[in-house]
Amino acid sequence: MSSLDLGVIGNGTYGALIDKWARIVWCCLPRLDGDPVFHALLNGDPSPDADGTERGFWSIEIENAASTRQFYRGNTAILVTEITDRDGNAIEICDFAPRFTRRERIFQPMTLVRRVRPLVGSPRIRVRLRPGFNYGAQEPTVTRGSHHMRFFHSGFALRLSTNAPITYLQAETVFNLTNPISFIMGSDETLTGGVEETAREFEERTEDYWMRWVRRLALPLEWQQPVIRAAITLKLCCYEETGAIVAAMTTSIPEMADTERNWDYRYCWLRDAFFVIRALNSLADVETMENYLRYLGNIVGSAEDGHLQPVYGIGLETRLDEQVVDTLPGYRGMGPVRRGNQAYEHFQHDVYGNVILAASQSFFDERLLQRATIADFERYEQVGERAYAMHAEPDAGMWELRTRARVHTSSSVMCWAACDRLARIAEHLGLMERRRHWRRLADEVHATICEQAWNEELGAFTESFGGDQFDAGLLLMAEVNFIRPSDPRFQSTLLAIEKSLRRGQNMFRYTTADDFGLPGNAFNICTFWYIDALARVGRTAEAREIFESILGCRNSLGLLSEDVDPATSELWGNYPQTYSLVGIINAAMRLSRKWEEQV
């Protein structure tokens, strides 16, 4: 049965997911939102492939396989799988996407490298390479050369270069692995060097790149390995050509079994991206922020009437028409599989605050190669004006409710944050008249929220103006400095949220019915927001306990998806989820003991 115990490789151009038997089960090409050339993750748990018809995967199998061990090479995005057969023969499979500096720029081709070597004895292996095109609807045309194979469909071609016998690959023949072999799959271009030499060079330079990248991170004293793995994986979710950051690499992994809560997350939500760059900034990685601000500048520059969508394509696409893909049965057969996301049509007013919050550091940070200017400030003022105009208007909210609109408190708080940060930026730039303007608007929005979202009978802020329910987005009120953690109103709201949304050590987004009924699984980022709130109000021991609990929900490689079943700790939802990885970093940075306490 499929699970989300999957390794992730990538290089800022594309990503791939690999199961514990070294089977590539998901990989979109030529970029993170592209056609899933390997799509077995959504094949619906087919029966053993006796008739040879299953497609959408790439396996390197040892005959009579008995056990497997999988791990990342230390502080890298290089995944190693060791598989042993019943007689003790063993192989090692090393998977990675090349990424390193070449000619003073990052070399990150659409290339997947697999290196295989015998570890023990005389293993016998079989390679099954079966890409599919157009979401599994089309088999490729396959041609061969002396040391390569081509997989071609509708103008898109993949070339596999290898020093393994092509005849064995084509026929999927079992053969003796007596020497190391390598596979390099990518664009339909001839290698300029030998396969083994090229693969070895790519591996060595990629390993060196990642180890040096990690070396520059400002890590907390505690929980360093969870933070390192989260940071590397966040980096893999960045499409660096444009600066966009995807919410996850997958589509249609259900939030909960058999609920049709299946969405395509291979796009850039401006909300999620803000949290990603802030988390990486806390580790001293400012390059990702600089790249993302390029992307954000293009979006803001082309916005009509100041309106911003909550989500865009990674190439700045504004239309993400949602369609059901009927050629794939879905994760464990739990369809539908969706391509595109209707959320691009939503009004989600928190987006304006997320944009300004993301851009704010560029006005203050002396390290940046290109500091933001007064002209940039004037462009972002247009976003702020829209935030002010929308702060008391109904929207779909951060949870993207499709059939219900109301004035969501979390959206209004983010509109306040937009005005507040613009006032701070204006003061920093010496624009005192603009500072007074934005401070006046921020104060007005703040007063409106305190009046309209506070429920005197419940003694707490509620999820919408005049409402009587709670959602986890209210926990962000302290995180964005709308209210002090010591304020009795925040502390009473925290207690109300605990009572309403906490299940064991996990936190739900909300517990009322939505478009698909009652939610059944916890939303991981909400648990991390709860951890942050506990720490802010001084309940640090509880926060540490819950943090350790959610770290225990990670898969065997230290990664998280969007949701978790509070009863079984099983992971659900799209994967790897950037929101969840951000939570690991933020919680570790807030809760860790200080370096000076130990060294």
Side-chain angles (χ1 to χ4, degrees):
M1 184 171 66
S2 297
S3 81
L4 296 181
D5 193 10
L6 302 171
V8 180
I9 63 170
N11 63 1
T13 295
Y14 78 97
L17 306 183
I18 303 171
D19 72 13
K20 66 179 182 178
W21 296 100
R23 189 172 186 248
I24 298 177
V25 296
W26 185 258
C27 180
C28 297
L29 297 175
R31 63 186 203 180
L32 289 165
D33 63 347
D35 187 10
V37 172
F38 298 117
H39 50 73
L41 186 63
L42 300 184
N43 277 357
D45 282 334
S47 57
D49 190 34
D51 59 0
T53 58
E54 186 192 358
R55 303 209 67 81
F57 67 93
W58 183 358
S59 64
I60 299 172
E61 306 160 3
I62 188 171
E63 196 173 40
N64 300 317
S67 64
T68 179
R69 184 172 82 99
Q70 193 172 60
F71 55 92
Y72 280 105
R73 195 167 293 159
N75 295 357
T76 76
I78 298 174
L79 186 67
V80 178
T81 310
E82 297 174 354
I83 307 177
T84 304
D85 69 17
R86 292 198 298 259
D87 299 319
N89 302 299
I91 63 172
E92 176 192 87
I93 303 166
C94 176
D95 289 307
F96 65 96
R99 180 183 174 90
F100 50 85
T101 301
R102 170 185 279 185
R103 297 173 184 170
E104 299 184 355
R105 61 186 299 177
I106 294 295
F107 176 68
Q108 49 189 148
M110 189 198 73
T111 299
L112 196 161
V113 181
R114 315 199 75 182
R115 304 195 69 200
V116 189
R117 67 184 181 98
L119 282 182
V120 179
S122 303
R124 290 169 55 77
I125 69 168
R126 175 173 65 167
V127 179
R128 294 199 293 169
L129 175 53
R130 299 184 184 178
F133 290 83
N134 192 19
Y135 287 78
Q138 304 292 334
E139 292 188 25
T141 300
V142 182
T143 62
R144 62 161 291 173
S146 56
H147 297 289
H148 76 268
M149 298 173 67
R150 292 176 74 251
F151 301 85
F152 178 82
H153 175 72
S154 299
F156 183 68
L158 292 172
R159 176 186 289 250
L160 173 74
S161 299
T162 182
N163 55 348
I166 297 297
T167 297
Y168 294 165
L169 302 187
Q170 278 196 301
E172 299 182 350
T173 301
V174 177
F175 63 96
N176 295 328
L177 182 67
T178 55
N179 296 297
I181 57 175
S182 294
F183 303 89
I184 302 175
M185 172 174 268
S187 301
D188 189 19
E189 300 171 357
T190 304
L191 287 181
T192 57
V195 171
E196 193 66 23
E197 303 92 294
T198 301
R200 182 170 56 250
E201 179 198 0
F202 282 6
E203 180 182 352
E204 291 172 352
R205 297 188 66 178
T206 298
E207 181 175 12
D208 180 70
Y209 168 85
W210 284 113
M211 293 182 73
R212 290 179 181 275
W213 186 80
V214 169
R215 185 181 175 210
R216 297 195 299 268
L217 297 180
L219 296 174
L221 175 63
E222 299 180 87
W223 302 294
Q224 291 191 16
Q225 283 304 315
V227 168
I228 288 170
R229 186 51 49 203
I232 289 174
T233 309
L234 286 179
K235 195 73 170 172
L236 302 186
C237 292
C238 301
Y239 183 63
E240 291 190 347
E241 182 180 340
T242 65
I245 303 169
V246 297
M249 289 187 184
T250 58
T251 178
S252 305
I253 308 299
E255 296 177 11
M256 178 181 166
D258 298 312
T259 60
E260 296 193 10
R261 297 175 184 266
N262 303 4
W263 314 114
D264 191 348
Y265 276 15
R266 299 170 299 161
Y267 309 111
C268 185
W269 271 260
L270 303 187
R271 175 190 312 113
D272 303 46
F274 156 64
F275 284 102
V276 170
I277 65 167
R278 190 169 69 165
L280 290 176
N281 283 347
S282 74
L283 301 176
D285 171 37
V286 298
E287 181 183 32
T288 302
M289 178 182 66
E290 290 180 305
N291 289 337
Y292 175 65
L293 289 177
R294 285 192 293 109
Y295 176 81
L296 198 58
N298 281 310
I299 287 174
V300 171
S302 60
E304 295 184 10
D305 301 322
H307 169 68
L308 295 178
Q309 299 173 190
V311 57
Y312 292 83
I314 62 175
L316 298 174
E317 295 86 358
T318 56
R319 292 189 62 90
L320 304 173
D321 294 322
E322 189 173 297
Q323 304 167 333
V324 171
V325 177
D326 59 11
T327 51
L328 296 173
Y331 181 75
R332 300 186 189 175
M334 298 177 188
V337 171
R338 290 189 170 95
R339 174 185 183 182
N341 199 303
Q342 185 206 338
Y344 83 91
E345 297 179 314
H346 289 185
F347 292 92
Q348 296 176 25
H349 300 150
D350 66 309
V351 67
Y352 303 105
N354 289 307
V355 167
I356 301 300
L357 286 168
S360 292
Q361 187 169 338
S362 64
F363 290 91
F364 295 90
D365 197 329
E366 297 283 352
R367 297 171 296 173
L368 302 184
L369 296 177
Q370 186 171 356
R371 297 274 302 282
T373 65
I374 291 178
D376 294 317
F377 172 72
E378 291 171 349
R379 281 191 289 271
Y380 285 117
E381 280 194 298
Q382 299 175 31
V383 177
E385 294 291 355
R386 184 75 173 183
Y388 172 72
M390 295 292 106
H391 78 271
E393 296 296 322
D395 73 344
M398 64 162 53
W399 308 125
E400 303 185 337
L401 301 175
R402 295 191 167 204
T403 60
R404 185 181 69 196
R406 58 183 63 175
V407 182
H408 289 92
T409 303
S410 56
S411 295
S412 295
V413 167
M414 285 299 182
C415 290
W416 167 84
C419 299
D420 174 77
R421 296 324 190 262
L422 285 168
R424 299 186 193 192
I425 295 168
E427 182 174 12
H428 179 71
L429 296 175
L431 305 174
M432 302 315 293
E433 182 179 343
R434 302 310 297 162
R435 178 220 174 257
R436 287 189 290 272
H437 170 76
W438 288 112
R439 181 53 56 206
R440 177 179 60 81
L441 296 187
D443 290 345
E444 180 185 335
V445 176
H446 196 284
T448 299
I449 295 170
C450 290
E451 178 183 349
Q452 298 295 326
W454 178 258
N455 185 310
E456 188 65 38
E457 182 178 345
L458 296 174
F461 288 103
T462 55
E463 54 85 33
S464 61
F465 283 14
D468 59 3
Q469 302 294 324
F470 301 98
D471 78 341
L474 295 167
L475 296 170
L476 294 174
M477 299 176 88
E479 186 166 336
V480 300
N481 298 319
F482 178 86
I483 192 170
R484 293 183 182 277
S486 58
D487 192 307
R489 292 174 297 174
F490 180 74
Q491 298 200 9
S492 62
T493 300
L494 174 59
L495 292 174
I497 290 172
E498 286 178 313
K499 184 178 179 180
S500 177
L501 305 183
R502 181 173 173 177
R503 300 292 185 272
Q505 301 284 56
N506 302 106
M507 186 67 67
F508 278 55
R509 289 176 291 183
Y510 47 81
T511 53
T512 54
D514 59 17
D515 308 332
F516 296 87
L518 289 172
N521 286 340
F523 202 70
N524 288 325
I525 188 58
C526 299
T527 304
F528 287 115
W529 290 344
Y530 177 54
I531 290 168
D532 181 83
L534 290 178
R536 288 176 186 270
V537 300
R539 295 164 59 183
T540 305
E542 292 177 70
R544 289 175 67 95
E545 179 184 347
I546 296 172
F547 183 40
E548 291 287 359
S549 174
I550 195 168
L551 288 179
C553 295
R554 295 174 302 152
N555 66 17
S556 63
L557 293 164
L559 301 177
L560 283 171
S561 63
E562 180 184 52
D563 307 90
V564 65
D565 184 330
T568 66
S569 296
E570 182 177 8
L571 297 178
W572 289 89
N574 283 307
Y575 175 89
Q577 178 75 6
T578 54
Y579 244 162
S580 301
L581 301 173
V582 162
I584 292 174
I585 294 171
N586 289 346
M589 295 296 283
R590 178 163 293 279
L591 296 174
S592 173
R593 290 176 292 124
K594 305 303 180 187
W595 280 92
E596 55 267 24
E597 296 176 20
Q598 186 71 23
V599 297

